[in-house]
Amino acid sequence: MPESALPELTDEIRRTILAVVAKNGGHLASNLGAVELTVALHRVFSSPSDAIIFDVSHQCYAHKILTGRYGAISTLRKHGGLSGFTRTKESPHDFFDNGHASTSISQALGLLTAWELRGKAGKAVAVIGDGALTGGMAFEALSHAGQLSKNLIVVLNDNQMSISASTGSLSRYLSRLTMSRTYQSFRSWVDGIVDKIPYSERHLGKFIYRFKRALKGLLLSNNFFTDLGMEYVGPLDGHDIAELENVFRRVRSLPKPVVVHVRTVKGKGYSPAENDPATFHGVGSFQISDGTFERFDTVSFTESFSRSLVALAEECPQVVAITAAMQKGTGLDAFSRRFPGRFFDVGIAEEHAVTFAGGLAAGGLIPVVAIYATFIQRSVDQIIHDVALSGRGVVICLDRAGIVPGDGETHQGLFDIALLRPVPGLTLLAPVSAADLSRCLSWAVAQQSPIVIRYPKLSCPTETAVFDGAIAVGRGILVRCEDYAPSLSAGRTPSVLFVTTGGYYGEVVQAARALAIDGICADVYSLRFVKPVDEEYFAGIARGYAAVVFVEDGVRSGGVGVYLQNVLYARGMTHTAVLAFPDAFLAHGTREEIAADARMSPRHIAQAARDVLAAAGA
């Protein structure tokens, strides 16, 4: 394309992204901010001969449009459609399935090293945000890149945001690097002169390198990246395609790792997103005209957690809250406003968040750490070593546990039960409602021991009196047939017991109602405690039913369902079935579509109960 046509192209890309996200939901502000950067990268580098690797990859929509997927972009985040992240099954231009932060530099360095060992030409470009750069893994990769001295290119997309505003000394440090424009301008002038000298690289290479280092020492104190052995260029205007192309062409020929620092505006071109990029980071459908979202009267688990924690903190000054760059997503924004001195956003550093919480607990505070279930995977070692081993009083609240619609394989919260149940001394709770979540949180804060509370990305079910029972360790909540379907259960004896984790209670009740219509009465036992479980108490309840069906919003392997099935087997109760998610990575779709694909829909749950009853001869 001629350079004069690029503004029209970027406008069209922005309009397309805005229209699709307004309808389908997705990541808006980050994608609008990366349009010119993505265009410049694809004009200079030759994907897929060169690899462009997006960190997190929630800013890859323009990349998808430019790499043959424009015709399918309307299917973004829809069942069977394009993923909201880079996905290797989707295109040869997507080198990794990325959805978590701080991985791109490691990936690019590994890929580039493999190519060189195999004699393959090509450049590897890691596009990483200033928020993702707060993750420790990114620092580890930068250190290794400087050691290997490969010709890696790291594009630092600095919008002074991760999801919420970037915090910490690194963010302030990047802001100070604007001083380097003087050096970079003068350096470009010197490079232009040197390029015209015949055989300059052969005869003047060492001199030029030493001269540049001396010049840099005069005009700019060495920065973090140069101290690691990397070249540093920037900061550049991330919306000036001509400037970006010019710099990318120059650094493409450098024989050593280089960091290109660009400044972009998150939400660029759409004023509601520019004015409030945190709200427009990840969104559901909205009105383009004014940026308004559809509002619901029901309370979500996230909102319930937020209100409950603020109320607890009002009563107990020892309560503090920690998040890993997810202040709004986890519902801690209200806490941060009410108690700014007791709120800590550690950046995209889940490992540090948990160990930091262990330190706070050792110092006499009661830390509550709020992290998405998919991201807690990064902190398993810290939970074991820095919290559970010492019995620290840390409460970890896992939002988005179970099925997570829209975001696909990288964001499903299905592994936390299997990962955390084996940890000695750790209590794992799965509340079923807003009141139950509040009660569990209050109980957990008072225990001064390691406790994890998990809850789904859902509206809370309607409160009933049956959820009001006091907490007894290891025991759950029994919801009888007459509690959810009184007209259908009158005079019938329950023959089925559904045993479920709190996040899947809604689907189980739907299945139980379907059975009630067919004349089969079922009770529901919600496992408030996933660990520990009072085995004798539970077995005593289960003994009164002809069939027991376990339904778990986690993976089957290592889950609580198989464990409890074995508890009943040991006591001679064999007419059981376990429904949990398969040993697979589940793609994006609605909650209902994902459940149906995994044979975990209410219809499949009801059929499993019928099958067990038939096997039992009941």
Side-chain angles (χ1 to χ4, degrees), residues 130 156-160 169-186 219-225 232-238 243 259-264:
D130 56 313
L156 173 55
N157 179 15
D158 180 6
N159 52 39
Q160 300 185 12
S169 57
L170 177 67
S171 178
R172 293 189 292 272
Y173 171 77
L174 291 176
S175 298
R176 290 199 301 270
L177 287 179
T178 54
M179 296 166 57
S180 65
R181 184 175 294 276
T182 302
Y183 164 72
Q184 294 301 336
S185 298
F186 192 73
L219 298 181
L220 175 71
S221 60
N222 285 349
N223 66 47
F224 171 76
F225 304 108
Y232 170 83
V233 181
L236 310 174
D237 182 353
E243 181 182 25
V259 173
V260 181
H261 183 181
V262 303
R263 284 286 183 85
T264 59

Side-chain angles (χ1 to χ4, degrees), residues 146-163:
Q147 174 191 338
L148 290 180
S149 196
K150 301 294 183 186
N151 57 342
L152 172 73
I153 298 171
V154 177
V155 176
L156 173 55
N157 179 15
D158 180 6
N159 52 39
Q160 300 185 12
M161 297 282 294
S162 47
I163 294 172

Side-chain angles (χ1 to χ4, degrees), residues 236-252:
L236 310 174
D237 182 353
H239 302 292
D240 186 334
I241 295 179
E243 181 182 25
L244 291 171
E245 284 191 49
N246 180 51
V247 171
F248 287 152
R249 288 194 179 96
R250 297 182 72 84
V251 302
R252 199 180 194 287

Side-chain angles (χ1 to χ4, degrees), residues 6-7 78 156 170 234 307 326 329 368 434 465:
L6 296 181
K78 292 295 186 182
L156 173 55
L170 177 67
R307 297 173 185 177
M326 298 297 292
V368 177

Side-chain angles (χ1 to χ4, degrees), residues 483-503:
D483 292 321
Y484 64 83
S487 62
L488 297 173
S489 59
R492 294 192 180 129
T493 300
S495 57
V496 176
L497 178 66
F498 285 116
V499 181
T500 185
T501 44

